């Protein structure tokens, strides 16, 4: 290939620029208000609990459906608390 020298240098410069930007230091995050942080933590915990409950219900439905289709062990239902 007889490409001009500039076309061989440009990719190297782009890689160097990308590495330089990726390794640049970010500014320190602003101080966090303890009250807001506690509220966010509680909200995240509630969301995680709800997601875990929804996942468990979906897994139970899938297992019951599988048992009905395959004629395996009798399907069980879980009582709501």
């Amino acid at each position: 290939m007889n490409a001009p020298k500039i076309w061989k240098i440009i990719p190297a410069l782009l890689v160097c620029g990308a590495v330089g930007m990726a390794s640049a230091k970010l500014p320190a995050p602003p101080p966090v208000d303890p009250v807001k942080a506690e509220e966010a933590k509680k909200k995240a915990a509630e969301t995680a609990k709800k997601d875990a409950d929804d996942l468990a219900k979906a897994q139970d439905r899938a297992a019951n459906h599988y048992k009905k289709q395959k004629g395996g062990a009798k399907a069980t239902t879980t009582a709501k608390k």
Side-chain angles (χ1 to χ4, degrees), residues 2-81:
N2 293 330
K5 274 188 169 182
I6 189 74
W7 293 113
K8 294 179 183 177
I9 295 173
I10 289 177
L13 292 175
L14 290 174
V15 169
C16 289
V19 169
M21 287 192 313
S23 65
K25 285 191 171 185
L26 296 175
V32 179
D33 184 21
V35 175
K36 288 183 180 180
E38 188 65 32
E39 289 175 6
K41 190 184 291 186
K42 285 181 183 178
K43 186 175 180 181
E46 290 173 3
T47 303
K49 183 178 179 187
K50 182 183 178 296
D51 289 345
D53 290 341
D54 290 344
L55 177 62
K57 288 177 185 176
Q59 288 174 337
D60 288 342
R61 285 194 311 268
N64 288 335
H65 178 73
Y66 176 79
K67 289 176 184 177
K68 286 180 185 176
Q69 294 297 321
K70 298 298 179 184
K74 187 171 184 171
T76 59
T77 58
T78 58
K80 212 176 194 182
K81 293 181 181 179

